[in-house]
Amino acid sequence: MSQSSFNAEPYPLQFDPATTALLIIDMQRDFLEPGGFGEMLGNDVSLLRSTIEPCKCVLEAARHIGMVVIHTREGHRPDLADAPPAKLARGKLKVGIGDQGPMGRVLIRGEHGHDIIPELYPAAGEPVIDKPGKGSFYKTDLQLILQNNKIATLIVCGVTTEVCVHTTVRQANDRGYECLVISDCVGSYFPEFQRVGLEMIKAQGGIFGWVTDSQEVVNVLCRLDKIKAVS
Ligand code: C5J
């Protein structure tokens, strides 16, 4: 066990790189690209797209040191058998989940819009968790994969901060995982939700986890790489 630490709020987070995974949540075309579901709902996708470059830097650094990397995608089976009727009806949308949009059927597995953006595309061997809900643990094998890899700490990136990132971090926290959320690698369509979403994670002594930025994570992971190289 080799302990290291991230400067973070509310206080430094000790971690062992061998038991830490990078979890990248729902960086899908439907949420991030012009013409996707997010934009069809009237959102400004540039607020999410600002996370792409910092996520790329963290992903590269994590891959470089051989850290476990896991991706998630929100979406449903083409026959919608796994989509709760309440979720399908919510919002009374003209074009909603399962309907034809500019990037194929909205949030349906196998469709262009459902897939992960090319900038952060999973490498061979990196697990991709297809989830029907907001939380990454709900009706998925994420916990089994984490247990099999002896993971105790999650470094969390993705979208959106107050929805799938928050739901996942809360689920992970209840399951005993330490979560470090990277402030510039998570994004919301609503600047106020972004600010408050991050505050809520680190409030009350880190009630759900820790918050830091991508520069700190990249610096720490690169330092570990150098230590590995000389030892
Ligand atoms: C949403 C998500 N916002 N990935 N999904 O519906 O946060």
Side-chain angles (χ1 to χ4, degrees):
M1 172 138 155
S2 75
Q3 283 286 319
S4 189
S5 86
F6 291 112
N7 267 324
E9 290 182 292
Y11 55 87
L13 171 63
Q14 305 283 323
F15 77 104
D16 176 354
T19 62
T20 298
L22 175 64
L23 181 64
I24 306 184
I25 298 173
D26 299 3
M27 293 297 276
Q28 295 162 256
R29 290 196 175 97
D30 262 331
F31 296 121
L32 286 125
E33 289 193 350
F37 186 42
E39 194 178 73
M40 280 193 301
L41 292 174
N43 297 305
D44 173 5
V45 293
S46 71
L47 291 166
L48 301 199
R49 293 190 65 78
S50 64
T51 64
I52 297 173
E53 273 311 307
C55 279
K56 261 176 78 177
C57 295
V58 170
L59 177 57
E60 266 168 37
R63 282 176 176 159
H64 206 70
I65 63 161
M67 183 172 273
V68 172
V69 176
I70 301 172
H71 307 258
T72 72
R73 299 184 294 203
E74 180 179 351
H76 297 279
R77 296 159 58 109
D79 63 4
L80 295 173
D82 61 349
K87 184 178 182 184
L88 297 177
R90 190 76 49 81
K92 299 189 166 121
L93 304 173
K94 250 207 296 229
V95 181
I97 294 169
D99 295 333
Q100 197 65 39
M103 292 191 191
R105 292 179 66 204
V106 170
L107 290 185
I108 296 299
R109 293 176 195 154
E111 300 287 335
H112 188 69
H114 170 264
D115 209 356
I116 293 172
I117 56 170
E119 296 91 329
L120 299 171
Y121 209 74
E126 291 174 356
V128 178
I129 308 288
D130 276 318
K131 61 189 183 65
K134 306 305 183 196
S136 302
F137 290 85
Y138 178 67
K139 305 291 185 194
T140 72
D141 52 9
L142 175 59
Q143 190 160 5
L144 189 56
I145 292 172
L146 297 177
Q147 278 168 358
N148 290 344
N149 283 281
K150 301 191 168 27
I151 298 299
T153 305
L154 298 173
I155 300 175
V156 182
C157 298
V159 297
T160 61
T161 307
E162 76 280 12
V163 185
C164 292
V165 170
H166 242 269
T167 308
T168 296
V169 167
R170 289 169 186 232
Q171 290 180 331
N173 182 61
D174 280 348
R175 286 165 175 77
Y177 296 97
E178 312 255 62
C179 292
L180 176 69
V181 176
I182 313 181
S183 56
D184 51 335
C185 292
V186 296
S188 170
Y189 299 121
F190 305 95
E192 184 64 0
F193 294 173
Q194 171 78 2
R195 187 183 68 73
V196 175
L198 292 171
E199 287 292 328
M200 287 169 76
I201 286 162
K202 65 186 181 187
Q204 300 181 77
I207 195 146
F208 297 126
W210 285 258
V211 177
T212 192
D213 62 22
S214 59
Q215 194 60 63
E216 169 67 9
V217 173
V218 169
N219 287 346
V220 170
L221 298 189
C222 288
R223 221 177 294 138
L224 287 172
D225 192 38
K226 284 197 190 105
I227 293 167
K228 212 167 68 177
V230 293
S231 61

